Amino acid sequence: MKKILTNLTFWVLTAITVGVLLGHFRPDLALYQVLDAPIKGKFLGQEFEIGATFSEFLGKTFISIVKLFINPIIFLTITVGIVSMGNLKKVGKVGAKAILYFEVVTTFALIIGIIVANLTRPGDGVITESIKGGDISKYTKTAQEFSWWQFFMDNSTLQVLVFAIVLGISLSNYPKRQYILDYLAPISKKVFWALHKVMLLAPIGAFGGMAFTIGKYGIAALFPLAKLMGTVYATMAIFIFAVLWYILKMYKIKLLDFLKYIKEELLIVLGTSSSEAALPSLMEKLEKMGCSKSVVGLVVPAGYSFNLDGTTIYLSMAVIFLAQVFHVHLDIAQIFTIIGILMVTSKGAAGVTGSGFIVLASTLTAIKVIPVEGLALLLGVDRFMSEARAITNFIGNGVATIWLANNEKEFDREKMERVFGQS
């Protein structure tokens, strides 16, 4: 009994359940106004938000606190990893392999999404009169203004990633680089120690995130688009247990063992609908599992922006869904055009607020055959599908890191077997 009560997984699961019950039976309490307006700002390069309602206050505050650790951990991990590696040719090789891996796997995810959406046709029979004028103007406006330079400037994670790589490369040739390692290593340990303390608040964040979702949108919001939701969830499950399973199988690693090992992080992502909430913890667990610090530091932060398997699947299926809703027949040439456009636009999906709708709006605008107003159909259920997107993105980045660490012979199987045995 004592072991259960001290288990973080138990408390996160309990918090998610209580959050669902509160949001469903007492939405007035879940959405009780505790602040006159949300508080937004920027600290340590990361945007933070404190929600105005009771549930948002708990959920968004927890995510904002965890996000503060992302840039320091990325900076320390990458800098220490590259300096300790001391082989610049190897750094470039790992980076190039990571980019190639991201492009191949996300393109595969994109194609799977389009094929399944065309086979199951979730948009057939959806009544367009159910569009009730949801506010999509902010998404279409941002989509029209989107630029790669702005994407980079708004994405502090990418900026820290680039800066850390440049600094690590510069210091790798420094004769007394051991002094640098001796200085940065203790700082890194203290940052992770502080993160562990913050993660004890994960049940509170998961409770707030789930209570807000159910309280605001209600379970009834799922019914009109239940077929789309079911199709998206099923497609992501197929991707995880077929594609990602096969990728790990190449190095004789069991996907289920890995999922069991990161179960606490997966529940946090589920409760908060944010992969950011567990990103620093994932990096630490991948190192403990046997992936080298340098590979983890390069692949996970880059994957956060460019290896969005779940988001890619959702975007491709949403475009086909809206085409079916409005009875727009897409020929082979147009489908290939959609694939080409999403291969580019989906890479910006992590750097902009309201990213999913912004990328969708920019894609629909570029295709010019599907009404952009159709986005209003998805506003009510997008939050319910964000959990699947975040979890798939999260697992995908973990698998990418393990695969690249093995491919580069920077993986310790003894560590993996030890931690898998303990999980």
Side-chain angles (χ1 to χ4, degrees), residues 91-104:
V91 173
K93 186 181 172 186
V94 172
K97 278 188 179 179
I99 292 170
L100 181 61
Y101 174 97
F102 296 159
E103 197 57 51
V104 170

Side-chain angles (χ1 to χ4, degrees), residues 389-408:
R389 290 200 301 265
I391 286 173
T392 308
N393 291 340
F394 189 77
I395 296 171
N397 279 322
V399 170
T401 308
I402 295 168
W403 187 88
L404 282 159
N406 275 276
N407 190 263
E408 283 295 303

Side-chain angles (χ1 to χ4, degrees), residues 125-176:
V126 176
I127 302 171
T128 54
E129 281 73 15
S130 61
I131 301 176
K132 298 183 178 178
D135 183 17
I136 62 167
S137 58
K138 59 182 178 180
Y139 304 116
T140 53
K141 183 174 183 293
T142 309
Q144 292 165 0
E145 296 172 351
F146 179 80
S147 70
W148 281 103
W149 173 249
Q150 196 60 45
F151 164 59
F152 179 77
M153 294 305 295
D154 289 343
N155 195 325
S156 62
T157 302
L158 270 184
Q159 294 171 23
V160 172
L161 174 66
V162 172
F163 176 72
I165 290 173
V166 172
L167 182 64
I169 290 172
S170 302
L171 294 175
S172 62
N173 291 321
Y174 182 58
K176 298 182 179 180

Side-chain angles (χ1 to χ4, degrees), residues 326-346:
F326 291 101
H327 308 290
V328 175
H329 174 71
L330 298 172
D331 57 32
I332 295 297
Q334 288 172 319
I335 289 176
F336 275 110
T337 301
I338 291 170
I339 292 173
I341 292 170
L342 284 174
M343 281 174 66
V344 177
T345 56
S346 63

Side-chain angles (χ1 to χ4, degrees), residues 55-344:
S55 54
E56 274 191 304
F57 181 85
L58 297 177
K60 289 190 174 180
T61 302
F62 170 72
I63 294 173
S64 296
I65 293 172
V66 175
K67 284 171 70 174
L68 296 179
F69 288 85
I70 292 176
N71 286 345
I73 285 175
I74 287 172
F75 171 77
L76 290 166
T77 304
I78 293 178
T79 306
V80 170
I82 292 177
V83 172
S84 59
M85 188 185 289
N87 187 336
L88 301 186
K89 187 177 179 181
K90 193 165 189 178
V91 173
K93 186 181 172 186
V94 172
K97 278 188 179 179
I99 292 170
L100 181 61
Y101 174 97
F102 296 159
E103 197 57 51
V104 170
V105 176
T106 53
T107 301
F108 204 82
L110 207 166
I111 294 170
I112 289 175
I114 288 177
I115 290 173
V116 175
N118 274 296
L119 290 175
T120 58
R121 302 193 63 81
D124 287 353
V126 176
I127 302 171
T128 54
E129 281 73 15
S130 61
I131 301 176
K132 298 183 178 178
D135 183 17
I136 62 167
S137 58
K138 59 182 178 180
Y139 304 116
T140 53
K141 183 174 183 293
T142 309
Q144 292 165 0
E145 296 172 351
F146 179 80
S147 70
W148 281 103
W149 173 249
Q150 196 60 45
F151 164 59
F152 179 77
M153 294 305 295
D154 289 343
N155 195 325
S156 62
T157 302
L158 270 184
Q159 294 171 23
V160 172
L161 174 66
V162 172
F163 176 72
I165 290 173
V166 172
L167 182 64
I169 290 172
S170 302
L171 294 175
S172 62
N173 291 321
Y174 182 58
K176 298 182 179 180
R177 64 174 184 266
Q178 189 57 45
Y179 289 116
I180 298 168
L181 294 173
D182 291 342
Y183 177 75
L184 292 179
I187 296 175
S188 182
K189 284 184 179 179
K190 287 179 181 177
V191 170
F192 276 111
W193 175 86
L195 174 65
H196 288 161
K197 299 302 180 185
V198 170
M199 292 308 289
L200 295 175
L201 302 175
I204 296 174
F207 163 78
M210 200 55 75
F212 172 76
T213 300
I214 302 298
K216 182 172 182 179
Y217 299 105
I219 295 175
L222 305 180
F223 299 143
L225 299 178
K227 188 177 179 182
L228 173 64
M229 284 194 59
T231 306
V232 169
Y233 271 78
T235 306
M236 293 191 187
I238 291 169
F239 179 81
I240 291 170
F241 292 103
V243 178
L244 298 183
W245 168 83
Y246 178 75
I247 290 171
L248 287 186
K249 188 176 183 292
M250 293 170 66
Y251 289 105
K252 298 179 180 178
I253 297 172
K254 294 180 180 178
L255 176 65
L256 290 177
D257 286 345
F258 174 59
L259 296 182
K260 184 182 176 184
Y261 175 56
I262 60 168
K263 59 183 182 293
E264 289 180 355
E265 287 72 23
L266 290 175
L267 286 171
I268 292 167
V269 173
L270 173 66
T272 60
S273 295
S274 169
S275 57
E276 288 178 321
L279 189 69
S281 183
L282 175 67
M283 294 176 72
E284 183 182 26
K285 279 203 167 182
L286 286 169
E287 281 187 49
K288 286 183 178 179
M289 180 184 163
C291 299
S292 70
K293 184 183 285 287
S294 54
V295 172
V296 172
L298 282 170
V299 178
V300 175
Y304 169 68
S305 291
F306 297 109
N307 186 40
L308 306 171
D309 301 326
T311 303
T312 303
I313 290 171
Y314 170 72
L315 292 173
S316 61
M317 298 188 79
V319 171
I320 302 300
F321 166 78
L322 291 176
Q324 293 165 359
V325 168
F326 291 101
H327 308 290
V328 175
H329 174 71
L330 298 172
D331 57 32
I332 295 297
Q334 288 172 319
I335 289 176
F336 275 110
T337 301
I338 291 170
I339 292 173
I341 292 170
L342 284 174
M343 281 174 66
V344 177

